[in-house]
Amino acid sequence: MIRELGPPDLCHIVKIHSSNRTEPDIGSYHHVLGVDTSSSASLAAYINSLQYSLNDKPGWFGPGNNWKIASGTYCTYNAFSKLDLRVQIKIPGGVDAYAINVQGERQDVTEELWTECHVSGILRAILYSNPAEYSVTGLRRLTLAANLREEARVVEALMEQFWNGWRLGSNAETQVASHSRNYLVDGLMAYFAGQGRYNDCAGEILSPLAYAPLGGRQQQADSRSSLDFKGIDPNVAALLAEAYMGGDQEVQGVRVMHQALKAKPSCYPMLYTQAEFLRLKKQHKAACKIALMAVKYAPSEFHAWAKLTEVYIDDNDFQNALLTLNTCPMYTYVDRDYPRVPTPRRINYPVKSEVLEEYNLGDNFTNGNYGSVPMNPRPSADSDAPGAAEEQTQNETSFILRLAAPTLKGTFAHAYKLLSNIVSTIGWDELLQLRSTVFVMEEEYRNS
């Protein structure tokens, strides 16, 4: 069951020997991020590009291979419509594109599905870009936008589907997806924030979207009057204010916050943004008042309670900070989608020749092996290195191994971080004394 953006794209190809017809066909697959999935032609072009990479030195089967691609299938997930789009290519031959729904039924692919599929692929390439956070065997990461023209196409696609972003859902710390809290917004902000281009994001994307209610796409998508917002959408304006402040344009950000709060004083995302701005300015009393309003209007949202806890910590009001942290709504963590495929017989890692010349990568990448390694290699009996079980036994006395922090995710990890901030400020003994003052523990209640 796919719950979020879906796994990386899957590309399966069948290779045949060009000179020896008795040689059996070989099938191989790999996962990929960053491919243009806007049409069947672009996916066919990607599989066709793999044919040329067979002749690279070193290639998939070492130097001087005589293999060529006979056919291929490219599978990509449409996170908006919950469909799997597949493109089958025969070389030479035709291209067959179709969609598979959750019931396993085949249906035709429309232009709208291709657009949604393109945006889904863009967001996966952005949000799965960190190998430390998302790692899959045989995953190939391509550059999403190699030049300004490609970046313009990416931005245009994201803007076109912006008002449908809530359909994608949200991260583990958000209860209800909205126009300002969803995966599309996370990907958009991560792309520009990672490059420090807050002003570009604010001026070229968020500003037109924030003032779009006067005849923009939002009115068509939500079927609501533009008079409800008085010329500005407060939810998107919260993102616009964050971008302005990230780009050191605080005056412009404050102006946007003022306009948005006049239009809708109960807008939770804007109240959250304003509370964070006041907290960074050391205006703790004003920030506390705004954060309390955010909790009032969004009592089920973890971010509102967490921001109020941060304000109390900065104001040295640790008693209320502990009470607020204990009141935070906690959500069940849903991990990212990972592909489920059969275990491969072998894994091949082709490495560019210039890398082999400059670096020593070991025996697996020399003598014609080029990274082709069998699955589940057995350790040598003569090895003096301790195994995982022996190393575990040696470190059993370490308290660090028993800490729960590394296993916490989502709201639980965020709450643990806030609790750690309290401990680092007042110390462990003071925290225990504060806990005894604020709470009555279950064991103490029984003994009493």
Side-chain angles (χ1 to χ4, degrees):
M1 179 68 180
I2 296 178
R3 301 180 180 180
E4 295 190 336
L5 293 175
D9 299 346
L10 175 65
C11 181
H12 177 268
I13 58 176
V14 176
K15 300 181 285 289
I16 62 174
H17 203 278
S18 57
S19 59
N20 187 3
R21 292 299 181 181
T22 60
E23 192 77 23
D25 298 346
I26 295 179
S28 65
Y29 68 87
H30 65 276
H31 305 283
V32 60
L33 293 171
V35 175
D36 181 6
T37 58
S38 59
S39 65
S40 59
S42 61
L43 299 183
Y46 171 75
I47 292 183
N48 191 49
S49 67
L50 298 178
Q51 176 67 46
Y52 298 102
S53 65
L54 283 173
N55 299 323
D56 290 346
K57 295 182 184 279
W60 295 4
F61 298 97
N65 72 81
N66 295 313
W67 296 87
K68 66 178 183 178
I69 298 177
S71 62
T73 302
Y74 194 99
C75 305
T76 180
Y77 184 69
N78 183 337
F80 289 91
S81 300
K82 312 301 179 186
L83 295 172
D84 189 42
L85 271 69
R86 300 180 184 179
V87 177
Q88 294 182 338
I89 299 100
K90 294 183 179 180
I91 303 175
V95 177
D96 183 22
Y98 57 93
I100 301 294
N101 58 22
V102 292
Q103 288 81 23
E105 301 172 348
R106 177 168 174 165
Q107 64 184 65
D108 296 333
V109 182
T110 62
E111 190 65 29
E112 182 180 1
L113 291 179
W114 278 121
T115 303
E116 295 174 351
C117 190
H118 186 204
V119 175
S120 300
I122 291 172
L123 296 177
R124 284 192 293 267
I126 297 174
L127 298 178
Y128 297 173
S129 60
N130 188 356
E133 297 179 358
Y134 190 90
S135 179
V136 175
T137 302
L139 177 59
R140 184 186 186 193
R141 288 182 168 90
L142 302 180
T143 303
L144 182 62
N147 51 57
L148 294 178
R149 186 175 65 178
E150 293 180 0
E151 183 181 275
R153 292 188 67 243
V154 169
V155 172
E156 182 181 359
L158 292 176
M159 291 184 66
E160 184 177 352
Q161 293 294 322
F162 183 86
W163 302 113
N164 295 324
W166 61 271
R167 294 166 54 188
L168 297 172
S170 56
N171 58 40
E173 297 183 7
T174 303
Q175 177 72 359
V176 180
S178 63
H179 290 315
S180 59
R181 297 288 189 272
N182 57 67
Y183 282 119
L184 193 149
V185 170
D186 292 346
L188 179 66
M189 300 299 288
Y191 179 80
F192 285 95
Q195 305 175 44
R197 298 168 54 192
Y198 293 99
N199 293 331
D200 291 343
C201 181
E204 299 176 8
I205 301 176
L206 295 178
S207 182
L209 291 172
Y211 296 96
L214 296 177
R217 291 190 183 93
Q218 182 188 14
Q219 187 173 353
Q220 301 175 2
D222 294 347
S223 300
R224 55 191 179 191
S225 173
S226 61
L227 297 178
D228 295 341
F229 302 108
K230 300 177 182 179
I232 188 172
D233 187 320
N235 289 279
V236 185
L239 302 174
L240 179 60
E242 291 179 6
Y244 275 134
M245 289 183 287
D248 293 330
Q249 297 190 38
E250 293 184 350
V251 174
Q252 191 69 15
V254 171
R255 185 180 293 114
V256 171
M257 287 191 290
H258 174 70
Q259 294 175 352
L261 289 173
K262 284 183 62 177
K264 189 178 180 183
S266 61
C267 179
Y268 149 68
M270 181 53 70
L271 292 172
Y272 177 91
T273 301
Q274 187 181 23
E276 174 64 10
F277 175 74
L278 293 172
R279 187 184 72 86
L280 295 177
K281 292 299 180 181
K282 308 299 181 182
Q283 301 292 328
H284 301 308
K285 299 302 180 184
C288 181
K289 183 178 179 180
I290 299 299
L292 284 170
M293 293 178 62
V295 170
K296 175 183 176 181
Y297 292 117
S300 63
E301 288 295 339
F302 173 84
H303 284 292
W305 293 91
K307 185 57 60 182
L308 181 58
T309 303
E310 292 180 16
V311 173
Y312 281 137
I313 293 175
D314 292 345
D315 197 28
N316 294 326
D317 189 355
F318 300 107
Q319 180 171 339
N320 281 324
L322 203 59
L323 281 170
T324 306
L325 182 60
N326 187 66
T327 315
C328 286
M330 310 301 288
Y331 314 139
T332 302
Y333 179 76
V334 178
D335 201 359
R336 289 178 172 176
D337 296 310
Y338 286 88
R340 292 178 292 178
V341 293
T343 303
R345 185 178 61 182
R346 297 183 68 86
I347 299 179
N348 188 58
Y349 296 105
V351 182
K352 295 295 183 181
S353 56
E354 56 267 21
V355 177
L356 290 175
E357 294 174 358
E358 188 171 355
Y359 300 97
N360 181 14
L361 301 182
D363 295 335
N364 282 334
F365 296 92
T366 56
N367 301 325
N369 290 330
Y370 302 110
S372 179
V373 296
M375 292 297 296
N376 301 323
R378 296 182 179 179
S380 174
D382 300 332
S383 176
D384 295 331
E390 184 178 352
E391 186 176 354
Q392 180 80 11
T393 304
Q394 294 174 359
N395 298 322
E396 279 182 348
T397 57
S398 175
F399 290 103
I400 298 178
L401 294 177
R402 292 195 289 270
L403 291 178
T407 62
L408 297 177
K409 296 181 179 180
T411 55
F412 297 92
H414 196 158
Y416 188 88
K417 181 180 179 181
L418 294 175
L419 185 61
S420 300
N421 292 341
I422 297 177
V423 174
S424 62
T425 304
I426 65 176
W428 181 253
D429 294 336
E430 185 70 22
L431 176 65
L432 293 179
Q433 183 178 356
L434 184 63
R435 187 199 68 174
S436 301
T437 304
V438 176
F439 303 117
V440 176
M441 306 306 292
E442 185 177 356
E443 184 178 350
E444 297 174 356
Y445 178 77
R446 287 203 206 97
N447 295 335
S448 64

